[in-house]
Amino acid sequence: ERERREAERDLRAAIRTHSPPRILDTLTERRATFTRGDLNRALAKVVSDPKERALLTDQILELPDVIGLRETAEAPVSRYTTKGVLQDEAGILRDAGVLAAHRRHGISITEGEAILRQHPQVTGDRRAPFWRSVGADGFAVIAGEAGTGKSTTLAAVRDAYEVAGYRVIGMA
């Protein structure tokens, strides 16, 4: 909640500058994509005049760094991102490939069981992703519907690697 409020404050401060590049950077700092509606709602918190808001929206979406995303080649633009976000994502994919190719960063079964005792909510279907993530591969994609235990499982994975001396950086 504290991080969300801080992000809101940062975005409002950027909007007050009326600087499209600064607004765009702040908006995409914590989210990879956004819609025109997301942008309009954010601007509405600071810019009350609809004409001024529409002009600022257009200025932001016309920046050369902005990329419109479509569901298909023929579909209208449904979301936006930036070249910088796409470059960051490409870098993450490269790093993930390197990580996946190394088979040396898992934790022992004893360490894993100790962590699981500290995280008793990691049971049943949550154990397989835990073990996949902390095994010799040390790399896994955990996907699932809301409420299925992804965050719970990843908290245990994080603790396992931190106990083993690794620095953990999470992303979603």
Side-chain angles (χ1 to χ4, degrees):
E1 181 62 21
R2 189 176 315 133
E3 288 178 12
R4 186 193 64 74
R5 285 193 309 263
E6 181 182 332
E8 287 289 324
R9 271 194 310 273
D10 291 348
L11 185 55
R12 281 193 299 274
I15 293 168
R16 279 190 213 89
T17 68
H18 282 69
S19 167
R22 182 166 175 209
I23 295 168
L24 182 63
D25 287 346
T26 306
L27 184 64
T28 57
E29 185 174 312
R30 290 185 172 87
R31 65 171 74 178
T33 67
F34 61 94
T35 65
R36 181 180 277 273
D38 295 335
L39 180 56
N40 192 45
R41 277 187 295 282
L43 294 175
K45 293 177 183 178
V46 176
V47 180
S48 57
D49 178 37
K51 288 182 182 179
E52 183 181 352
R53 196 168 50 242
L55 178 63
L56 191 52
T57 296
D58 290 343
Q59 289 173 343
I60 292 167
L61 295 179
E62 290 169 3
L63 289 170
D65 196 39
V66 174
I67 297 173
L69 303 173
R70 296 169 162 69
E71 294 295 323
T72 66
E74 299 80 32
V77 170
S78 58
R79 301 192 70 77
Y80 298 89
T81 192
T82 65
K83 291 176 184 176
V85 168
L86 293 180
Q87 289 169 347
D88 289 346
E89 288 179 352
I92 290 166
L93 288 172
R94 280 191 305 276
D95 292 346
V98 169
L99 181 62
H102 289 76
R103 307 266 189 244
R104 300 179 299 227
H105 35 266
I107 65 165
S108 72
I109 291 174
T110 305
E111 291 170 319
E113 290 296 340
I115 291 297
L116 288 174
R117 283 192 295 278
Q118 296 172 16
H119 293 269
Q121 63 278 37
V122 180
T123 60
D125 290 345
R126 298 175 183 174
R127 284 184 162 254
F130 170 82
W131 286 112
R132 175 90 169 108
S133 298
V134 300
D137 290 348
F139 182 79
V141 175
I142 299 177
E145 296 294 321
T148 58
K150 297 177 301 295
S151 296
T152 300
T153 302
L154 288 172
V157 170
R158 180 201 60 232
D159 288 353
Y161 277 109
E162 286 179 346
V163 165
Y166 291 93
R167 181 174 146 236
V168 177
I169 301 171
M171 60 176 249

